[in-house]
Every structure is written in C-alpha cells, then in structure tokens.
C-alpha cells in the first residue's frame, strides 16, 4: 500500500480586491459637473431672457400665478432631499439629451413666432430640465425626476379654462339658488334675484383655487405616498375638489348676501370669505388624504440601490480616472444648440418692419355705403392694435357695423390672439355676453369660414356679432389656427400682418341677425379681404 506523502500546499490565492472608489474623484466630478450645469442653466436664462422675464412679470402682477416665486426654491429643496442617493452616484454626461434641448428649442421658436407665451415658457423650462441629463446623466435625472418636473408649475398656464369655469360656476349657483326657493332670472353670467343683481366675473371662476390646489396637492401626494396609484388619485382629488368647492363658495356668498339684505359678502369680505372657505377645504382635503398616508422609505424616500453582482467591475469603473473636461464639453455643446434658436429668432425680429400702419379703405359694392364712426357705444377689446377701423355700412334700412383691429410686428405685449382681446370683458359694467357659438361655413370671397358668434346686451340694446381672423391672406375663426398661421407667415414671408374682423348688427337674437350679416358677408367680404391685403403691401 503506497504511503501518501503529505506535501505542503500553496495557499489559495484570494480573489483580487478592488479598492473602493476614491472619494476625492467623486467629489471632484460633482463639483465640476454642478459648475457646468449652473453655467448651462444661466446661459439658457440669458439667451431666453425675454421669456424668463415674462414669467416673472406674470408672477408679480397676477395673484393667480404668484406661486411661481416659490416653485424654483421648492424644486431645489426636493432635489436636496435626494442628496444621500445622489452621493452614491457619479455624474456622467449624456450626449443624447442634447436632442431633447434641440426639440425644446424648436418648440420655443414656434412659441415666439406664433407669440404663444405659454408654449415658449414651457419650452424654456423643458430646456432647463433637459440640461440635467445632458450634464449629469440619465440615472441622476431619473432620481430627480419629480423635482425637475415640478418646475413646470412655474409656467403661468391655465387661464384658457376661465370661460368654462365661469359658466360652470354660474350654472351651479343659479341651480342651487332655485333649489333653495329663490327665484332667479339669468342673462349669460349675470343673474338677478329679489335682493339684487349678481354676476360671475373672472375672480369668481375659481381658477386661482384650482391652480393653487393642483400645485400643493401634487407636492403633498409626492411627499405623502409611495404608491403612484395613490399619488394620481390624490392629484385628481386636488383638481375636482377646488372646482366643486368654488361652486359651493359662490352659492353661499350669494345666499349670505341675500339673507343679510346685502350687508354681508358684498365688499372686501366677499374675497375674505372666499379664501377662508378655500383654506378650510384644502385643510379638509389634506386631512382626508392623510388617512392613507404611507410612511416614507429610508433616506428621504429613495430606495437604496444595491451593487450589481459584478461588484468588481462596478468598482473598477468608478475608480477609473475622471475626465472632468467631459462636463464642460457637454455643457458648451448644449450652449451652442441653445444659442442657435435665440439667434434664429432674433433674425426674424430684425426682419420686422417697424412703422405706422395705414389701413386701406374698404371698397363698397352692391349698394352699400361706408361711414366712419361706431354704430353703438360698444367696442370690441383689442389691445395695442397697430391700426383700427370702427365704422358702419348702410344700404336702405339695413345697417351693419364693421370693426377691424390690424396688427403688425407682434410681440409678447402686442398680439392679435390673446386672452385680453375679446368682444366684451366679463367685468364690463355696461355690456355683457349672453351666448356664443359659431355660424357654420360662411363664404368670405372664395374661402369658407366658421365665424365665432356672440349675443351682447346693454340695457335695452341688443347686438349680434360675428368675428373671424385674417392672417397674411388666410382666413380662420379659430384662435389656435390663427396662432399657427401667424408662425407660418413669419417663417415663410418674414412678416406677421394679421387682423381681427368683427361684424355686428342690432337684432333681438342670432336668428334674426343671420340674414343681414350673411348678405353683408356675401357682398362686402371680398372687399374687406382686399383692403387688408392692400394694407399688408404698405410696408
């Protein structure tokens, strides 16, 4: 039996250990990356300064959007809460994100050419958001997704829902008063009860409550819940609750004024009661939402990220020498893209021909004769028009008013399609709008147009008005289409000559006015379009 010989064995070789990442490298990467990011963000704001200044100006003058001042600090605070998770990550530039900046730049240029402030402001904010993955990388941007998206609340947006919210508020208030046994006579947004006359104006629409509730509710949902399902449910709750609460608020204020003989809720206390009621509703909403609150995860609500199985490879990649120049190169490349769109837009501004506008006269046909001077005390509201015409045309016993507001070299403060340019303001003490709608296709020359209609009343005076737009030779009655046509005109012809045309007649209702207005459009429509085309050539 062979004896076994014991031989010493060489000690098993231990698996190579990779030294942990050098902290100094990560800290250096973050310092350089944050510096490059700050430079890029500052460059975006500088290149699009007029857009940024417009946002701040809106925050300052409008109570509806005053919350914009606290959105950037809140976003920074939300990002700071993620500092522990971010400390475990190494920033790495993502060149593909420059494409997102380019897309946002295209949207910004379109917004400026069409003078849609909200689109330009959303696009500029999107550029700032896209700057984060460009310089820091997609992984870090995903970690900061909510703080970044929260920045969109800084954009003044939402006034387009004013007419709808005002109608809903008036409908509910009138229905609730009638259900309470109070007789109501309604004309548009104005209603009369035995104790007095009330009207739903813009401040009564509830849009302030809605926007404030949506922002605060979204923040609350993010901080209070971990389930996205619960978050979305609460956000929907934050949209519905202020709308319904505003209806109840309006009804209670009218009811309080009625039962007190118009001694309460008719002055400044009207607004005080409204805000107190809204504060109570918001507190109630948070109390209800708190019953389903979820405890946050450790480290500020961010899930810990464990190392992948191949730890050696992961650590080796983090200990590789950092090329900090990559952050500056990515930032500078993005800055060139940002500057490109600003330069293009400035070239369009330089092409604008400043100077006074002289409207060409409208030729008369088919027995119509034109006369300067307004037909009634009513005037459409079109602010800062380059030129206006306010007159009327007569044929026998028929008379039709014509108002033209002509715009050239439009900018953020002077533009054809704007929420401030309306047939009558909701707060007008004299005239008020009863109804609105569309005519169906009306032939203006050889172009069919679905004109906007409105019935207006002042005391015993009753008017029916039709409105449409002329945009560099093209006709439409839709605001969105008018904006797009304006942008297209500037892109193709380098000019933005546009006009609003309003036709109106004294009539008891839209049906009675239709034959006369149709006859005038048929006879004079082509002449009006020809006059506007002639005005365009007078540059």
């Amino acid at each position: 039996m062979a004896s076994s010989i014991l031989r010493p064995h060489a000690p098993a070789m231990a698996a190579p250990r990779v030294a942990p990442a050098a902290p100094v490298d990560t800290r250096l990467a973050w310092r350089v990356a944050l510096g490059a990011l700050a430079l890029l963000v500052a460059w975006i704001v500088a290149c699009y300064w007029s857009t940024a200044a417009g946002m701040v100006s809106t925050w300052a003058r409008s109570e509806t959007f005053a919350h914009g001042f606290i959105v950037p600090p809140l976003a920074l605070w939300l990002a700071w809460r993620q500092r522990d998770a971010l400390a475990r990550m190494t920033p790495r530039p993502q060149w593909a994100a420059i494409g997102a900046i380019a897309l946002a730049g295209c949207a910004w240029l379109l917004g400026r050419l069409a003078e849609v402030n909200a689109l330009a402001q959303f696009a500029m904010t999107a550029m700032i958001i896209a700057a984060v993955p460009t310089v820091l990388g997609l992984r870090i941007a995903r970690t900061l997704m909510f703080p970044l998206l929260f920045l969109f609340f800084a954009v003044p947006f939402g006034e387009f829902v004013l007419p709808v919210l005002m109608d809903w508020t008036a409908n509910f208030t009138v229905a609730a008063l009638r259900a309470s046994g109070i007789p109501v006579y309604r004309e548009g947004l104005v209603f009369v009860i035995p104790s007095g006359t009330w009207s739903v104006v813009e401040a009564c629409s509830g849009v302030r409550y809605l926007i404030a509730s949506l922002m605060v509710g979204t923040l609350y949902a993010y901080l209070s819940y971990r389930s996205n399902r619960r978050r979305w449910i609460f956000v929907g709750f934050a949209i519905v609750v202020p709308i319904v609460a505003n209806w109840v608020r309006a009804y209670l204020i009218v009811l309080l004024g009625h039962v007190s003989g118009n001694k309460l809720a008719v002055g400044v206390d009207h607004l005080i009661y409204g805000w107190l009621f809204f504060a109570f509703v918001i507190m109630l909403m948070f109390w209800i939402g708190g019953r389903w609150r979820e405890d946050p995860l450790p480290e500020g609500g961010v899930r810990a990220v464990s190392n992948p199985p191949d730890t050696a490879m992961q650590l080796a990649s983090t200990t590789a020498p950092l090329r900090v120049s990559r952050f500056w190169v990515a930032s500078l490349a993005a800055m060139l893209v940002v500057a490109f769109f600003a330069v293009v837009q400035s070239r369009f501004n330089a092409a604008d021909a400043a100077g006074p506008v002289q409207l060409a006269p409208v030729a008369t046909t088919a027995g119509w004769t034109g006369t300067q001077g307004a037909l009634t005390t009513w005037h459409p509201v079109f602010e800062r028009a380059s030129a206006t015409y306010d007159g009327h045309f007569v044929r026998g016993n028929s008379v039709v008013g014509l108002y033209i507001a002509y715009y050239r070299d439009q900018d953020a403060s002077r533009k054809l399609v704007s929420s401030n340019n309306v047939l009558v303001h909701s707060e007008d003490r004299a005239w008020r709008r009863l109804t609105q709608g569309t005519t169906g296709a009306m032939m203006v020359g050889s172009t069919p147009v679905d004109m906007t209609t409105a019935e207006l009343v002042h005391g015993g005076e009753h008017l029916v008005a039709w409105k449409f737009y002329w945009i560099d030779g093209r006709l439409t009655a839709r605001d969105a289409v008018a904006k797009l046509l304006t942008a297209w005109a500037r892109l193709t012809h380098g000019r933005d000559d546009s006009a609003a045309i309003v036709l109106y007649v004294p009539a008891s209702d839209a049906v009675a006015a239709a034959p006369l207005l149709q006859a005038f459009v048929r006879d004079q429509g082509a002449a009006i379009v020809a006059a506007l085309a002639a005005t365009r050539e007078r540059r």
Side-chain angles (χ1 to χ4, degrees), residues 273-442:
Y273 295 156
W275 279 110
L276 288 176
F277 180 76
F278 176 69
F280 169 76
V281 169
I282 291 295
M283 290 177 61
L284 180 63
M285 184 174 70
F286 288 165
W287 178 77
I288 295 174
R291 297 178 64 87
W292 290 274
R293 181 185 180 95
E294 296 174 311
D295 293 331
L297 290 170
E299 301 182 7
V302 179
R303 296 183 183 275
V305 180
S306 59
N307 287 327
D310 192 358
T311 307
M313 182 178 295
Q314 174 75 10
L315 294 177
S317 65
T318 59
T319 56
L322 293 173
R323 298 175 58 186
V324 295
S325 61
R326 295 170 58 192
F327 300 115
W328 296 111
V329 172
S331 180
L332 291 174
M335 289 168 65
L336 290 176
V337 174
V338 169
F340 170 78
F341 295 100
V343 170
V344 171
Q345 196 273 336
S346 67
R347 294 294 298 272
F348 281 105
N349 284 348
D352 289 340
V357 174
Q358 183 178 1
L359 283 171
V362 178
T364 55
T365 61
W368 291 96
T369 59
T371 304
Q372 283 279 3
L375 181 60
T376 69
T377 59
W378 169 73
H379 301 275
V381 180
F382 284 88
E383 298 178 349
R384 300 193 63 189
S386 303
T388 59
Y389 171 84
D390 200 354
H392 58 278
F393 286 71
V394 178
R395 183 175 66 182
N397 294 327
S398 301
V399 58
V400 177
L402 172 64
Y403 178 88
I404 298 175
Y406 196 95
Y407 285 81
R408 176 180 292 171
D409 302 340
Q410 300 176 55
D411 55 28
S413 61
R414 183 180 67 252
K415 53 187 176 181
L416 173 65
V417 181
S418 166
S419 59
N420 293 326
N421 292 346
V422 293
L423 295 180
V424 60
H425 275 304
S426 63
E427 298 182 358
D428 193 317
R429 295 292 184 180
W431 290 88
R432 58 181 182 270
R433 173 180 58 82
L434 296 183
T435 63
Q436 63 181 2
T438 57
T439 61
M442 294 284 115

Side-chain angles (χ1 to χ4, degrees), residues 143-282:
T143 302
L144 296 175
M145 181 177 295
F146 183 84
L148 293 175
L149 295 180
F150 190 78
L151 287 172
F152 281 124
F153 279 112
V155 178
F157 182 73
E159 288 188 333
F160 69 95
V161 300
L162 271 172
V164 175
L165 293 179
M166 291 167 67
D167 284 336
W168 288 355
T169 302
N171 293 340
F172 180 88
T173 304
V174 170
L177 289 171
R178 287 172 177 167
S180 302
I182 301 174
V184 183
Y185 171 73
R186 178 180 177 182
E187 283 188 341
L189 299 176
V190 176
F191 47 92
V192 182
I193 59 178
S195 60
T197 300
W198 296 79
S199 62
V200 177
V201 296
E202 293 181 1
C204 301
S205 66
V207 68
R208 297 177 185 176
Y209 305 146
L210 174 60
I211 294 175
S213 174
L214 179 58
M215 187 196 79
V216 176
T218 302
L219 180 61
Y220 180 87
Y222 173 73
L223 296 175
S224 300
Y225 305 117
R226 289 182 281 113
S227 165
N228 285 332
R229 181 171 175 269
R230 293 192 182 189
R231 287 173 173 173
W232 283 113
I233 290 176
F234 191 84
V235 169
F237 195 50
I239 294 174
V240 174
V241 166
I243 294 176
V244 177
N246 184 64
W247 299 347
V248 176
R249 178 196 67 87
Y251 162 67
L252 292 178
I253 285 177
V254 175
L255 184 64
L256 183 60
H258 176 69
V259 299
S260 67
N262 291 327
K263 294 180 180 179
L264 298 175
V266 293
V268 67
D269 53 344
H270 179 117
L271 299 177
I272 295 174
Y273 295 156
W275 279 110
L276 288 176
F277 180 76
F278 176 69
F280 169 76
V281 169
I282 291 295

